[in-house]
Amino acid sequence: GVNCIFSHVPLENVPIDYVNIHGHIHNTFLPQYIKPYYINVSTDVTGFKPVLLDNLIIIYQYRQIIN
């Protein structure tokens, strides 16, 4: 399984082996939030469409492999 923390804003300190699924950041290109343990699900980023949790977990797992 994958340990997820859901929050409105990205957390400052994400525990090891956790992914922070967050909103609030309307721009995906802020370098401090382009890290394997952040997934931005702001509506601007998702095209104002819902995203399946299973798909977010796949994204997280892929990032763990390439990083």
Side-chain angles (χ1 to χ4, degrees):
V2 174
N3 298 313
C4 301
I5 300 174
F6 298 91
S7 61
H8 177 73
V9 297
L11 300 177
E12 291 277 329
N13 298 305
V14 179
I16 294 173
D17 295 329
Y18 277 76
V19 60
N20 179 203
I21 299 171
H22 66 85
H24 187 71
I25 305 299
H26 302 279
N27 179 341
T28 59
F29 302 109
L30 295 175
Q32 64 267 38
Y33 301 117
I34 300 176
K35 295 185 177 151
Y37 48 84
Y38 287 119
I39 297 179
N40 185 353
V41 292
S42 289
T43 56
D44 304 57
V45 175
T46 66
F48 296 90
K49 296 178 182 170
V51 180
L52 293 174
L53 180 57
D54 288 344
N55 292 345
L56 298 175
I57 290 171
I58 290 168
I59 290 168
Y60 172 72
Q61 290 170 332
Y62 174 74
R63 288 179 179 177
Q64 295 306 305
I65 292 169
I66 63 170
N67 287 304

